[in-house]
Amino acid sequence: MDRDKLFDSVQEIFRDIFDEENLIIQEKTNSDSIEEWDSLNHINLVSAIEKEFKIKFALGELMALRDVGSMIDLMIEKLNKI
Amino acid sequence: MKKYKFSDIKVGLSESFEVRVVPSMMDRFLEISNDVNSLHQDSHYAKEKGFSGRVVYGLLTSSFYSTLVGVYLPGKYCILQGISIQFTKPVYIHDFLKVYGEVSYINEAYKCVDIKSTITNLKGEKVSKATIKVGIIDE
């Protein structure tokens, strides 16, 4: 999948989870950038991405993520293996 | 009480139980919530509005979703993280209800699951449905 399209799809998931229809995410967006990005919403984000793209993350992979950009990179890596 | 651990959980695993709504439940819910709305307290008013009698509090019947996850699926090791509920039919006092839940998604990394749940009455009518998110704290 094209990175820009994937980014847009992930942005829609963020908008849904954080209930902010105009939320804009960027490569460097992380949990410090969004006030409501707490541990429960983090689980909700990961769960929503797993369901939408039919991929699974391991805890170690998630712990290594720094920001949205690194999440997208990991997603592309997994989607290319499907 | 069931004691499912995370390793026991599979998509499709289900549990259910039955319960009857009795008048004392309405009294106790009123005492806790102080929801004095006439639809729940005044049968004449409820009938005027087209219902068969006093309507059972939606959040009273929803409390059975708490029982579903806290006692049955997964039971002991459950921690409730979120719930999304839709009410589809009214519940009346003395109704028998079947509460059913089935695991629909497992998050391996964070040891949490989604449980698709329904409550149905004796006629087989779905009175509410819910998606319940729970964590499993077995370690």
Side-chain angles (χ1 to χ4, degrees):
Chain A
M1 182 185 277
D2 175 82
R3 187 182 176 89
D4 289 341
K5 280 186 183 170
L6 187 60
F7 206 93
D8 289 344
S9 301
V10 170
Q11 180 161 268
E12 283 307 310
I13 290 172
F14 269 72
R15 288 175 174 179
D16 183 46
I17 297 293
F18 294 108
D19 201 21
E20 253 190 75
E21 61 183 33
N22 297 318
L23 179 67
I24 303 289
I25 57 169
Q26 295 169 333
E27 294 278 340
K28 295 292 179 192
T29 299
N30 61 26
S31 58
D32 294 331
S33 319
I34 300 174
E35 192 180 345
E36 290 186 22
W37 192 340
D38 55 21
S39 58
L40 270 183
N41 272 332
H42 184 74
I43 294 172
N44 289 335
L45 270 176
V46 170
S47 296
I49 289 170
E50 283 195 348
K51 287 180 209 170
E52 176 70 23
F53 296 97
K54 297 180 173 50
I55 52 178
K56 288 279 184 189
F57 298 108
L59 184 58
E61 293 173 328
L62 294 167
M63 289 176 74
L65 298 178
R66 303 173 309 281
D67 50 28
V68 168
S70 57
M71 168 64 97
I72 300 284
D73 290 341
L74 180 59
M75 290 174 67
I76 289 171
E77 188 184 320
K78 287 183 176 290
L79 288 166
N80 283 339
K81 288 179 185 168
I82 293 176
Chain B
M1 181 184 294
K2 298 285 183 172
K3 297 177 182 174
Y4 288 109
K5 294 186 175 178
F6 185 74
S7 56
D8 300 324
I9 301 289
K10 304 284 180 274
V11 170
L13 177 66
S14 65
E15 288 284 349
S16 66
F17 67 96
E18 292 177 7
V19 61
R20 188 182 191 194
V21 181
V22 296
S24 63
M25 291 177 178
M26 291 291 280
D27 298 339
R28 283 145 67 196
F29 192 90
L30 172 64
E31 188 182 339
I32 294 165
S33 68
N34 204 29
D35 180 353
V36 295
N37 188 285
S38 302
L39 207 57
H40 307 300
Q41 293 299 316
D42 182 342
S43 60
H44 293 293
Y45 176 82
K47 285 176 183 171
E48 274 177 18
K49 295 297 178 187
F51 295 95
S52 304
R54 291 163 64 197
V55 177
V56 172
Y57 297 99
L59 290 185
L60 191 164
T61 53
S62 299
S63 71
F64 302 131
Y65 287 127
S66 178
T67 310
L68 176 71
V69 297
V71 179
Y72 293 91
L73 184 62
K76 180 178 179 180
Y77 303 113
C78 170
I79 181 162
L80 182 60
Q81 295 177 332
I83 181 165
S84 163
I85 308 169
Q86 283 181 283
F87 302 107
T88 47
K89 292 270 184 189
V91 174
Y92 298 106
I93 299 166
H94 302 301
D95 275 0
F96 281 97
L97 302 174
K98 180 176 182 180
V99 186
Y100 173 84
E102 181 175 317
V103 175
S104 61
Y105 163 75
I106 300 172
N107 184 316
E108 302 279 348
Y110 294 124
K111 291 191 171 184
C112 55
V113 302
D114 287 1
I115 299 170
K116 292 275 187 196
S117 311
T118 55
I119 299 179
T120 49
N121 61 23
L122 266 187
K123 296 177 194 166
E125 296 170 325
K126 197 181 291 178
V127 300
S128 77
K129 58 183 179 178
T131 300
I132 312 172
K133 293 174 185 292
V134 301
I136 299 174
I137 45 173
D138 59 357
E139 289 171 2

